[in-house]
């Protein structure tokens, strides 16, 4: 993507960053230093994040919002400061950040709340109620997390599901924007594809959705650790985030939603911590975000995520973006020079991030992954939770290499070298 700054890291800067990630000191299967090119699945964690989690448990652990003692107070403060930190990172208000266990749950929260509204839970926002004659629009490029909840919502309410289609190279085809029809109530789409790395035309999709009064839901799983993100500039109504893709712990994510919309949404999960009063017959609910945060929350992970965002901001999102852009271009060029390897996605670096899925002629992706692993290069293989997108490319699965802020040029060289050996190994060259 086009970066705010073209400054990539100096060698010393990158060495310093890499030193912060203890896992990079591990050796891979061949005994060589590990090349980790699977950040799109889950990112590695800097020592600062590991320490924040450990210090929370060592010094501050207590139940949040439920006690009067010192540790409960400290935990509650850390928990709410982390909420403010996530909000600041995306340019949003703290009260509009809802903790979830991951991005998948955040998407299910929106769809599940709409189901409750459609079944009669009170709301004054008509868009939250779906029925026959209404439409939800997604894209063919979605991760299953941003497809299955909408399929189910449609099946339960009688609404229809439609999708924006793709160019041959996996970019969203804007000619299909006319599928956002006047009866569309929700348009849910990914900011960046976890397979093709393609960056979605957010402004055009949002404009089409707004022209028919539809709510917009943006999946930022593959963008939030790779480019500066400003939620008000993107002008969507909801966005979902995932800590473990952003150098933070697993087990926590967030939903951001416009305050006035969250205020109209019925709860999704119910139980403790989200109520104002309970009788044996009925319950009244808190205002957001508490209304959507039933039960105990992953406080240590939330604190760790906040430390990850401090880390990202210290390094600088514009510089991370420039660094990864350069590596992505290098990866594409390296792959282009290997006969029999097809990139699934746009080959123009300005249209994508450094997440590169590919198919090797005559070799199953799992075998590709194994050969690379034998060279101590870790990549992802499979359908990457995007089966419809793989069908679009005429394959069932693929191999995928993804760079991150810790990736070096040596990593890319070693990946390209190992990939170049694959077809020889299987005698298909
Ligand atoms: N959306 C995209 C584009 C993803 O890449 C992923 C994870 O791979 C998800 C959603 C699901 O994220 P989580 O693991 O936080 O549920």
């Amino acid at each position: 993507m086009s970066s705010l700054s073209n400054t990539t890291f100096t060698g010393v800067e990158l060495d310093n960053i890499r030193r912060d990630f203890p896992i990079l000191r591990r050796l891979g299967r061949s005994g060589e230093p590990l090349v980790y090119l699977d950040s799109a699945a889950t990112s590695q964690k800097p020592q600062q994040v590991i320490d924040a989690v450990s210090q929370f448990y060592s010094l501050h652990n207590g139940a949040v919002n439920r006690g009067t003692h010192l540790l409960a107070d400290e935990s509650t403060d850390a928990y709410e400061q982390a909420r403010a930190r996530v909000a600041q990172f995306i340019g949003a208000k703290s009260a509009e950040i809802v903790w979830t266990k991951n991005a998948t749950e955040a998407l299910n929260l929106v769809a599940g709340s709409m189901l409750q509204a459609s079944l009669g839970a009170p709301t004054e926002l008509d868009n939250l109620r779906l029925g026959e004659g209404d439409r939800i629009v997604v894209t063919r490029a979605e991760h299953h997390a941003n497809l299955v909840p909408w399929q189910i919502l449609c099946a339960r309410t009688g609404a229809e599901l439609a999708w924006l289609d793709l160019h041959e190279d996996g970019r969203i085809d804007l000619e299909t924007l006319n599928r956002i029809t006047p009866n569309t109530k929700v348009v849910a789409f990914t900011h960046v594809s976890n397979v093709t790395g393609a960056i979605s035309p957010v402004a055009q999709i949002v404009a089409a959705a707004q022209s028919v009064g539809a709510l917009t839901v943006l999946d930022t799983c593959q963008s939030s650790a790779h480019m500066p993100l400003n939620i008000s500039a993107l002008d969507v109504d909801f966005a979902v985030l995932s800590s473990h893709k952003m150098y933070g712990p697993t087990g926590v994510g967030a939903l951001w939603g416009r305050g006035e919309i969250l205020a109209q949404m019925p709860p999704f999960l119910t139980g403790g911590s989200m109520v104002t009063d309970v009788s044996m017959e009925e319950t009244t609910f808190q205002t957001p975000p508490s209304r959507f945060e039933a039960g105990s929350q992953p406080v240590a992970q939330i604190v760790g995520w906040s430390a990850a965002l401090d880390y990202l901001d210290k390094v600088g999102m514009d510089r991370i973006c420039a660094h990864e852009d350069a590596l992505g271009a290098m990866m594409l060029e390296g792959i282009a020079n290997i006969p029999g390897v097809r990139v699934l996605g746009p080959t123009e670096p300005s249209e994508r991030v450094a997440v590169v899925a590919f198919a090797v002629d005559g070799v199953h992706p799992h075998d590709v992954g194994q050969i690379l692993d034998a060279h101590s290069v870790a990549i992802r293989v499979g359908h990457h939770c995007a089966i419809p997108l793989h069908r679009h490319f005429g394959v069932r699965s693929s191999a995928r290499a993804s760079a991150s802020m810790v990736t070096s040029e040596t990593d890319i060289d070693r990946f390209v070298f190992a990939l170049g050996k694959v077809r020889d190994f299987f005698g298909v060259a």
Side-chain angles (χ1 to χ4, degrees):
M1 74 164 292
S2 55
S3 318
L4 296 182
S5 150
N6 287 325
T7 323
T8 60
F9 304 137
T10 64
V12 173
E13 282 172 326
L14 183 59
D15 285 348
N16 287 338
I17 292 170
R18 288 173 65 89
R19 257 195 290 277
D20 283 335
F21 288 72
I23 211 163
L24 296 181
R25 294 199 276 277
R26 280 209 57 176
L27 301 180
R29 219 178 280 276
S30 64
E32 297 165 277
L34 182 69
V35 174
Y36 186 74
L37 294 179
D38 199 16
S39 299
T42 197
S43 60
Q44 297 301 348
K45 321 302 171 198
Q47 191 63 50
Q48 289 82 342
V49 168
I50 299 166
D51 288 347
V53 173
S54 163
Q55 273 171 25
F56 177 79
Y57 280 131
S58 304
L59 298 172
H60 307 294
N61 183 43
V64 300
N65 292 330
R66 282 182 198 172
T68 48
H69 61 77
L70 177 70
L71 297 184
D73 273 354
E74 286 179 4
S75 296
T76 305
D77 282 351
Y79 177 76
E80 288 306 331
Q81 276 166 20
R83 194 193 300 279
R85 188 69 188 84
V86 172
Q88 185 200 16
F89 190 78
I90 61 169
K93 294 183 197 137
S94 199
E96 297 180 335
I97 300 292
V98 179
W99 300 123
T100 61
K101 82 169 186 285
N102 48 36
T104 303
E105 188 180 280
L107 291 160
N108 274 277
L109 193 168
V110 181
S113 173
M114 287 182 177
L115 177 59
Q116 294 304 320
S118 308
L119 294 175
T123 177
E124 285 171 22
L125 186 59
D126 186 47
N127 266 54
L128 299 177
R129 268 189 301 266
L130 285 117
E132 275 179 30
D134 292 324
R135 176 179 272 212
I136 294 176
V137 176
V138 294
T139 82
R140 196 186 284 278
E142 298 312 309
H143 187 285
H144 299 159
N146 199 23
L147 170 59
V148 181
W150 305 115
Q151 280 179 348
I152 289 175
L153 180 59
C154 285
R156 299 279 187 278
T157 60
E160 65 174 349
L161 188 74
W163 48 91
L164 305 184
D165 236 311
L166 308 175
H167 290 291
E168 209 176 316
D169 67 2
R171 285 172 306 121
I172 292 170
D173 181 356
L174 291 174
E175 296 279 311
T176 62
L177 274 183
N178 58 7
R179 294 180 191 171
I180 301 176
T181 44
N183 58 341
T184 303
K185 288 202 159 167
V186 182
V187 178
F189 63 104
T190 194
H191 195 182
V192 168
S193 161
N194 67 315
V195 176
T196 65
I199 301 165
S200 298
V202 178
Q204 286 96 323
I205 297 173
V206 169
Q210 287 176 349
S211 73
V212 298
L215 297 173
T216 46
V217 183
L218 188 69
D219 176 352
T220 74
C221 283
Q222 297 296 338
S223 59
S224 48
H226 306 290
M227 58 182 76
L229 206 63
N230 183 308
I231 227 62
S232 38
L234 292 168
D235 206 16
V236 289
D237 297 307
F238 297 99
V240 301
L241 295 120
S242 178
S243 159
H244 76 100
K245 313 268 192 199
M246 303 173 75
Y247 307 95
T250 49
V252 61
L255 169 69
W256 168 81
R258 285 188 199 276
E260 62 274 22
I261 301 176
L262 290 178
Q264 287 300 326
M265 287 168 58
F268 168 53
L269 299 176
T270 57
S273 303
M274 47 78 72
V275 303
T276 49
D277 199 8
V278 183
S279 70
M280 287 314 292
E281 291 78 25
E282 59 179 9
T283 298
T284 50
F285 305 117
Q286 293 266 10
T287 52
S290 307
R291 184 188 300 163
F292 305 109
E293 293 172 347
S296 305
Q297 298 297 313
V299 187
Q301 288 82 348
I302 286 169
V303 168
W305 190 9
S306 178
L309 301 182
D310 288 345
Y311 193 93
L312 283 169
D313 273 343
K314 195 179 86 190
V315 175
M317 288 309 300
D318 51 346
R319 305 219 37 219
I320 291 171
C321 187
H323 172 69
E324 293 181 4
D325 279 355
L327 294 173
M330 199 178 154
M331 199 143 58
L332 287 171
E333 200 183 316
I335 294 175
N337 289 327
I338 305 173
V341 181
R342 172 168 72 113
V343 168
L344 309 181
T347 47
E348 172 52 51
S350 65
E351 291 172 334
R352 54 165 20 266
V353 302
V355 173
V356 184
F358 51 90
V360 180
D361 275 357
V363 186
H364 192 279
H366 279 93
D367 293 332
V368 176
Q370 251 177 337
I371 297 297
L372 266 68
D373 187 51
H375 287 82
S376 299
V377 178
I379 61 162
R380 169 83 187 254
V381 295
H383 54 58
H384 322 309
C385 299
I387 296 176
L389 179 53
H390 277 84
R391 286 217 177 93
H392 170 79
F393 288 113
V395 291
R396 176 74 196 175
S397 59
S398 65
R400 180 187 72 190
S402 49
S404 74
M405 81 169 132
V406 303
T407 309
S408 67
E409 291 189 6
T410 308
D411 288 342
I412 305 296
D413 283 342
R414 284 185 50 203
F415 158 72
V416 172
F417 175 81
L419 185 58
K421 299 281 171 208
V422 168
R423 293 180 81 235
D424 268 354
F425 182 89
F426 288 102
V428 290

